[in-house]
Amino acid sequence: MSLMWEEVVIDSRDPKALGLWWRDALGWVVVGENDDELEIAPAEGAHPTLLFAAVPEEKRVKNRLHLDFVPDHQTTEVERLIALGASRTDVGQDGASWIVLADPEGNEFCVLAARPS
């Protein structure tokens, strides 16, 4: 079987603004853009990418799929992401070691505790 993971598509009311927010949050680069989509990647030619696609409706419920990130220092990274425009959110993670944030359009993602060295 030769199946390659190409991208994760994220529905968005404003794909350019949200895609650029994620570009800045992750330190990635824009690899594609048109009126209805913006695509970012860790580097030109790298996969998988994140593709932000325009949809007419607002996000209404908790995501069924979300991204998890492992930083070098959890508290510092959470503070940086909040300063960029993320917000803390509660999806029932009481007492968990990870912190759940939402991007500017409300898509949840987790910042895990740093891995031991």
Side-chain angles (χ1 to χ4, degrees), residues 49-116:
T49 63
L50 293 177
L51 176 69
F52 300 86
V55 297
E57 69 275 357
E58 297 286 336
K59 179 183 176 292
R60 292 191 179 98
V61 298
K62 177 181 161 293
N63 292 8
R64 299 277 312 261
L65 173 79
H66 68 270
L67 304 174
D68 286 352
F69 299 98
V70 178
D72 291 332
H73 189 268
Q74 186 184 47
T75 302
T76 301
E77 192 59 25
V78 166
E79 290 170 358
R80 183 185 74 83
L81 292 164
I82 289 172
L84 284 175
S87 58
R88 287 182 178 263
T89 192
D90 184 355
V91 296
Q93 72 271 15
D94 296 330
S97 62
W98 59 86
I99 296 171
V100 182
L101 298 177
D103 70 18
E105 287 199 15
N107 299 297
E108 300 91 4
F109 62 97
C110 295
V111 180
L112 308 179
R115 290 193 175 126

Side-chain angles (χ1 to χ4, degrees), residues 6 31 40-49:
E6 178 70 14
V31 294
I40 64 172
E44 190 71 40
H47 290 90
T49 63

